[in-house]
């Protein structure tokens, strides 16, 4: 960062714009968030001060919603300095840490025994062999009965069903009226043109990190990695088209 401070209202504006941009790809994004909250709230129903880690939190969209839902500590972790900076400025009462899930030491940024770990549209960026390590690391920190909850587009392995799942997703987006929303690339280009941001973040910090469509793992393949990591039960609790909320119980 340049040393300047990001204005709270500017950060909120860009987080809201991020949310609208993401809905172009996930028309039922808010419902997905609510389902994840349902799972975490149920698991934490008898816990006085829950501890939840949000893996790949981006600008904090899920982190803030979960904290309002379950209380306790919800710690957002992300490797992108710009998105993390937006989260911190938009949600100054939140807890956010710079963390590379493909590296080491990130577990200690949260500490303690976790009740839940959550992630949305982030774990698909991690190569399968490294994702297996992430799953083992999370399992080592979750208490018995704790959960890992992952909301993401998960590839359907059967080709005809994959086509149908993608069609259902696209038709839902059309009905929801989000197909005309700003896309991912346009959002980043607009952010890099906003002097209110470029006076705070360096050009390197504002370089978009994503590329391609990630590891392409199916729900079954995630399940295999999760069971191998020590989770006792794995299954989908919500699905629309190829959009899943996958839950693994420690």
């Amino acid at each position: 960062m340049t040393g300047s401070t990001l204005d709270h209202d500017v950060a909120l504006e860009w987080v809201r714009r991020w949310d609208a941009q993401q809905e172009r790809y996930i028309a039922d994004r808010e419902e997905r968030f609510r389902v994840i909250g349902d799972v975490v709230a149920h698991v934490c129903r008898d816990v006085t001060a829950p501890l939840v880690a949000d893996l790949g939190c981006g600008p904090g969209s899920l982190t803030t919603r979960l904290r309002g839902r379950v209380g306790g500590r919800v710690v957002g972790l992300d490797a992108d300095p710009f998105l993390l900076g937006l989260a911190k400025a938009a949600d100054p009462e939140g807890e956010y840490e710079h963390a590379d899930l493909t590296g080491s030491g990130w577990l200690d940024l949260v500490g303690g025994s976790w009740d839940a770990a959550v992630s949305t549209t982030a774990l698909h960026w991690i190569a399968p062999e490294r994702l297996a390590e992430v799953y083992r690391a999370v399992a080592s920190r979750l208490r018995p009965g704790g959960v890992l909850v992952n909301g993401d587009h998960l590839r359907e392995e059967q080709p005809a069903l994959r086509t149908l799942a993608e069609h259902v997703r696209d038709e839902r987006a059309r009905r929801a009226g989000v197909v005309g929303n700003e896309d991912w690339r346009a959002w980043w280009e607009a952010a890099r043109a906003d002097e209110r941001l470029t006076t705070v973040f360096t050009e390197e910090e504002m370089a978009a990190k994503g590329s391609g469509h990630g590891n392409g793992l199916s729900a079954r393949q995630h399940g295999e990695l999760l069971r191998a990591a020590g989770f006792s039960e794995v299954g989908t609790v919500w699905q629309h088209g190829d959009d899943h909320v996958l839950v693994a119980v420690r």
Side-chain angles (χ1 to χ4, degrees), residues 3-44:
S4 301
T5 302
L6 180 59
D7 180 78
H8 171 70
D9 290 337
V10 172
L12 275 179
E13 174 188 330
W14 277 98
V15 171
R16 289 167 181 156
R17 191 164 167 176
W18 171 271
D19 288 342
Q21 173 257 123
Q22 287 289 290
E23 286 184 336
R24 176 187 175 102
Y25 309 100
I26 315 159
D28 291 310
R29 186 170 180 258
E30 289 298 329
E31 179 63 13
R32 181 208 271 179
F33 284 157
R34 284 189 286 267
V35 170
I36 293 171
D38 290 342
V39 173
V40 175
H42 184 75
V43 168
C44 297

Side-chain angles (χ1 to χ4, degrees), residues 57-61 63-64 67 74-77 84 87-88 91-98:
C57 67
S61 301
T63 316
T64 55
R67 195 173 71 253
V74 182
V75 184
L77 305 172
L84 204 61
K88 291 177 178 180
D91 179 26
E93 295 182 359
E95 189 172 350
Y96 298 94
E97 299 286 351
H98 185 269

